Amino acid sequence: MDPEEVAPLLEELRSRPFLNGRYDAFQDEPSTWTAIPERAARCLESMRRREHPVAAVIRGIPIDDEAIGATPLDWSDPTFRQRTQHLELLAVAFATSLGEAFAWDRQQDGRVVHDVFPIKEHADQQINSASTMRITWHVEDAFHPHRPDYVMLLCLRNPQRAATTFSLADDWDLPDHVVDELFTPQFRQLPDISHSIDVAETEPRALLFGDRRHPYVCGDPYYLSPVDERLQAVLNQWYSEVERTMRDMVLCPGDLLILDNYRAVHGRAPFEALYDGRDRWLKRLCVSRDLRRSAAAWVQGNRRLLDSTALASTAVVNA
Ligand SMILES: NC(=[NH2+])NCCC[C@H](N)C(=O)O
Ligand SMILES: O=C(O)CCC(=O)C(=O)O
Ligand SMILES: [Fe+2]
């Protein structure tokens, strides 16, 4: 995308009052999303309606490295959201071509747009703010029936050139008996630590579901409950197939990566964080195709804020 194509929209978004991550009114306003460049809108429409492509990157969103200021070191900095709100709003505008960006009440203070940057205390944990530790591959929010249909990552800076990794379910070549087991609801998926949920009783789920020829995937192996030996062998076969088909993408400032969270898994390579205000920094959005499915989890009637502990669903469960 030619940066000129979004410059006027970005300029307009810069003049918005500070909303502190509460974008409900903005999201309700149809005029905000009609303005995104046509080629990008067509790509997103194709992801939504044809489920193809499964992963896409839109390049050329202008990032003013000086104006966005320092990469935060933790959550105490009161200014970083103001400095980057126009980029958050732009990302929300793109998301609206796919569906609805939404927030989890217990993740990043219920904000619709998440910040992904390294935090010293998390360096070796399985969380987005890790660095020296690889983020093992996963479906985003795999434990939850109302997990996002799409994940969007907008890169503000990435001097370490840490790669985002992903693998597409359509690329996996698995023996029938392995597919059978993965299609059987017999795996317990626990929430990852970014959701601050202690224990959650989860129903056994399948890791693959839908059309056997083009399966949907739902799993975060690091946070799966232990299984017996026979199933462990099955899982290991799946894991090596995912590893074999894993791709790397180094996001550069202004790159917006969109992943279909039903048809791809993703993770991130380790990197060395410096905590000098120049570290890698992304904005992340969870996007749903249909917020009606999650009505039972809406927090106080807010359809874009989901209670992550509300796991029961009468509508859609992937089992
Ligand atoms: N295998 C994993 N590391 N899973 C957790 C992924 C990252 C998590 N969604 C977060 O926001 O921090
Ligand atoms: O940092 C990245 O490139 C992706 C990290 C990730 O998996 C996430 O934030 O959900
Ligand atoms: Fe992720």
Side-chain angles (χ1 to χ4, degrees):
M1 195 177 62
D2 180 349
E4 287 303 308
E5 287 183 78
V6 275
L9 175 57
L10 212 44
E11 207 38 53
E12 194 262 309
L13 294 175
R14 223 187 270 276
S15 67
R16 301 278 175 134
F18 182 52
L19 297 163
N20 200 14
R22 271 60 191 193
Y23 296 142
D24 297 24
F26 176 85
Q27 288 174 275
D28 283 343
E29 220 183 285
S31 60
T32 51
W33 48 271
T34 51
I36 75 165
E38 192 182 336
R39 212 169 130 233
R42 274 210 218 121
C43 169
L44 297 173
E45 187 183 350
S46 178
M47 288 186 79
R48 179 171 57 83
R49 297 187 55 208
R50 301 166 60 224
E51 299 192 51
H52 180 85
V54 168
V57 58
I58 293 169
R59 300 211 146 95
I61 295 170
I63 308 285
D64 181 338
D65 189 69
E66 222 165 285
I68 62 171
T71 304
L73 303 177
D74 53 41
W75 305 110
S76 66
D77 178 348
T79 66
F80 70 88
R81 293 199 177 91
Q82 275 109 312
R83 291 187 256 122
T84 52
Q85 175 173 282
H86 57 298
L87 295 164
E88 295 194 353
L89 291 174
L90 183 70
V92 171
F94 277 99
T96 307
S97 288
L98 283 171
E100 302 286 344
F102 69 91
W104 295 109
D105 63 338
R106 302 166 74 95
Q107 209 184 25
Q108 299 208 6
D109 209 15
R111 287 192 165 75
V112 168
V113 181
H114 295 162
D115 288 275
V116 177
F117 56 82
I119 297 177
K120 211 177 223 157
E121 295 71 39
H122 298 170
D124 59 358
Q125 298 182 16
Q126 283 301 328
I127 191 168
N128 66 77
S129 39
S131 50
T132 46
M133 182 68 95
R134 157 181 303 277
I135 300 182
T136 58
W137 57 264
H138 56 278
V139 158
E140 200 66 21
D141 308 318
F143 74 103
H144 207 284
H146 306 312
R147 65 193 171 280
D149 290 285
Y150 308 96
V151 177
M152 297 187 14
L153 297 169
L154 170 61
C155 180
L156 305 191
R157 56 171 64 105
N158 186 10
Q160 287 97 340
R161 299 188 58 78
T164 305
T165 55
F166 60 94
S167 161
L168 314 184
D170 274 349
D171 289 347
W172 305 335
D173 185 11
L174 292 163
D176 274 348
H177 78 275
V178 171
V179 175
D180 288 343
E181 296 288 3
L182 296 176
F183 262 80
T184 307
Q186 55 187 342
F187 304 92
R188 282 180 198 275
Q189 184 68 64
L190 298 171
D192 70 72
I193 55 173
S194 72
H195 283 271
S196 321
I197 300 174
D198 280 345
V199 238
E201 270 309 311
T202 60
E203 289 295 303
R205 309 258 202 92
L207 295 168
L208 298 182
F209 62 104
D211 179 354
R212 269 185 79 105
R213 292 162 308 167
H214 299 286
Y216 293 133
V217 56
C218 181
D220 182 344
Y222 186 86
Y223 292 100
L224 271 184
S225 280
V227 292
D228 66 33
E229 248 173 68
R230 178 186 61 89
L231 281 181
Q232 193 56 55
V234 164
L235 287 176
N236 291 344
Q237 283 199 62
W238 178 41
Y239 298 166
S240 19
E241 191 55 13
V242 176
E243 294 297 341
R244 185 187 70 78
T245 54
M246 197 64 80
R247 309 170 191 212
D248 276 3
M249 165 151 305
V250 175
L251 295 176
C252 297
D255 287 356
L256 176 67
L257 174 66
I258 308 111
L259 291 168
D260 188 325
N261 198 41
Y262 273 56
R263 294 195 176 278
V265 297
H266 69 276
R268 186 185 68 221
F271 68 96
E272 187 93 39
L274 296 173
Y275 312 111
D276 61 352
R278 300 274 99 201
D279 272 328
R280 188 176 189 273
W281 185 8
L282 313 182
K283 295 282 180 180
R284 179 180 72 186
L285 280 79
C286 291
V287 183
S288 168
R289 288 165 66 102
D290 179 6
L291 291 172
R292 292 183 183 198
R293 289 187 311 197
S294 54
W298 295 349
V299 174
Q300 291 170 359
N302 182 345
R303 62 180 61 230
R304 295 192 177 95
L305 182 63
L306 301 192
D307 174 357
S308 42
T309 64
L311 287 165
S313 158
T314 49
V316 178
V317 184
N318 62 338

